[in-house]
Amino acid sequence: MDLISQVADLNHLAQVFSHYQQRHRSGSRRGRLRPGSDGETLVQFADQLDSNLHLISDSLLAGQYSFSPFVERRLTLAGGTARTFSTATVRDSIVQKALALVVEPELDSLLVENCYSFRLGKEAPTIHDAITSVVRYHGSGRYWVVKDDISAYFDNLDHGLLLARLEEALPSDFPIVSLYRSYVKAPRLTDGRIVPRQRGVPLGSVLANCLSNLYLAPLDRVMREEGHLYLRYCDDLIVFAESQSEAQEAREAIADLVARLGLTLNSRKSSLLPPGGRFVHLGYEFDGQRVRIGARALNKFKARIRGATSRKSGGRLTSKARHSDAGRTVLREVIAQVNKEIGGDTPRNWARYFARCDFDDQFRALDFWIRDRVRAAVTKRWNKGNYRAVPTPLLQELGLRSLVGEYYTWRNRWRHRDQSLIQAIARLDRLRDVLESYRQRYYKPLRGTHDFRPGADGVTLEQFISNETSNLRLIQDLLLGGGYQFTPFIEYTRAKRARSDDRVICRASLADTVVQKAVAQVVDRKLDHVLGEQCYSYRRGRSQFGAVGQVLARVNARADWWVVRSDFSTFLDTVNLPILVSQLEGLLVDEPLVLDMYLKYLYNGRVRDGRFLPRTSGLPRGGILTPFLANLYLTPLDDAMAGEGFHYIRYADDIIVLAETEQRARQALERIDQLSSKLYLIQSPEKREIFPPGEGFEFLGYHIKGAEVSIRPYAINSLKRRIRRVTAKRKYPQLDAKSLSTEQGSAALQSIIARVNRTYVYRGGSDWARHFCRCTSDRQLRELDGWIADRIRMAVTKRWATKNRRFISYRLLRELGWQPLVPLYYRWRREVWRQGARSS
């Protein structure tokens, strides 16, 4: 569908009308549509909505729509500034909004990142980002500042240049450009006279903001290409230069480029300032190392408060009347008007905008003044007696917001948001929370000790906790200074469950474990967006369960899928570190200390059998930072497979591709071969397979064969091994029927049951049965339940006999807390069905 068809779509136009109608009903002055030059109101337009929308749509599609004259009104803003604003007709307002929603995302991509005004999208820079940048550069105290402003910017845009830029941006969309031409050429209605518009765009109209950005895009691009530290918000330009000569050069370049665009700089608002010089930008006053609210912004805010606390409206409130319900109602009405101007929990919160000020002195003074204004509004006088008549606790009780409280609330939020990654990692409360989680995880209440195996430094958890604050502060200082060094990992061998091959695991010291966890909490969340949608491993909100669900959903949708399965041999041990380092450098170019942390982690040595070994390839197996790094390393594979249209799912190094034909399946396997060779990975021969439709294949513990889904034997044997370990006969004293009836016997049996439950009911509300609840039958789980019950009986009777079931019945096991697999299976199965029903 071309752009003009999207703009003229009746559903689209109806949604735009609904938006305006809701804002009009809300009573918002900013959202209210005034009648334009045709005198039609929003209510009148709504009376014949269908015919009006059809008329607009037809004229847009036919290329015959033209904008009516804009009514111009000269208004005095809060603070005393006079501006001429343009009001469009209801029809023109709807067309402008419909046009902006469709076209402006296309035009926004032509803008560069140093333009902060009127941008679209969640990731687009905003005015808050502009203020953050100015505060950061100003705070360094080493930049010369070039401050420029364009005179009557919106009134002096050259129509020829603007339309030429639109034609260049939208070369194949002549109807859209023609519509914009009608907009910029629309005449003005001033004092009852229609005046042609020779230059400029209507100030206050919907399309003016984006066009103002597009007009100055060449200036933004040139300033960036010349390497200037340049920021622009609408027509407010600011450049930070490291020397006076560089600042003068930037100033001359701006003047030359602005003149080429047919504009002039405002000499009263243009200046060149040395480091520490005073200037005002976006309402803030920057003076030396001090950041305060500018005088004009203060005056505008005070003017709004004066309007909300006028002494001419409402009845007079005496000190006696304030105790009555009627008196409190009067106070609440005034306070509600004041709170509306402060902003409350809305994006228009005034204190939120100015929360980057250094001190709260201006907010405190305003709080005193606002309370006096509220008192004067209800007592109709301005004197000290108002403090007794309307005390401050009464105003607070009735809900008057405090600017100081709002300031500190938003100041803390902005501080956390504006922190660099290394500052967020090194926060003392974060390090302390991570340490506390490990303290709880490794504490053994029966022994009263912590079961944490120390690393190469030999420091135990008890030793670290005994001097907790100083140890954490030392880690914090080293992180912020870039001097933190990882202790060599201790390597040991561990057999993989239900397999004959061994894996080499790395164990870190406690300090390194705390640092790794803190880094993972911050960086994994911050950089999660770079990973592909097809990756389900070790990510927040994704799991094995979700990966299996995706595979089964696609297999059930079509019975003729060919399935490609692939896996990498010793994946973590064969990761090429130079490739991974280049990926990290691209992501962490602005965070050198975090990048340095990852490099130290990757090249950290290890101790094995008493010998120190350097690391030249592979990732530390068992390290907390390893899962994200493994996902990042395989991102090129994920992006390539998804970009080429393959139905691709990956969990760790287990890959499944679903293909429509055998030829497509072979193409997918060959493409995986090509991409893995570029990453220096080797596919496992026994797991590199293509399965025709209907043939069974294994994935993450499941055996999937058409509509039949079961648990693979490996997963069952793995669970049985764990249960055999906790129900070994030698671990527990022998109990008979008589001893089992005693309190001590019941407690012993209950202890065994609790250990068995922990083998398949995990922390966080998940469990083994949840993962396998997608099986089509409970047969395997019923067999497992019978075997588990017999293992518990055998653990206390020391014999494997049928008569155990008589004096340790199934009911007794359930009463003592045993959780069989079958009820868990059906519980999770119902939950999955409910989630599917909700999502559909």
Side-chain angles (χ1 to χ4, degrees), residues 70-73 84 188-195:
F70 286 83
V71 177
E72 288 194 340
R73 295 181 176 88
T84 300
R188 302 175 293 165
L189 182 61
T190 305
D191 298 328
R193 295 182 300 110
I194 293 181
V195 181

Side-chain angles (χ1 to χ4, degrees), residues 257-290:
L257 290 165
V258 167
R260 290 185 194 177
L261 294 171
L263 304 170
T264 57
L265 294 177
N266 188 335
S267 57
R268 292 188 301 104
K269 295 184 179 180
S270 299
S271 55
L272 192 154
L273 304 165
R278 178 188 172 279
F279 64 95
V280 177
H281 187 64
L282 299 178
Y284 278 85
E285 179 187 278
F286 300 89
D287 188 4
Q289 293 296 313
R290 189 176 64 172

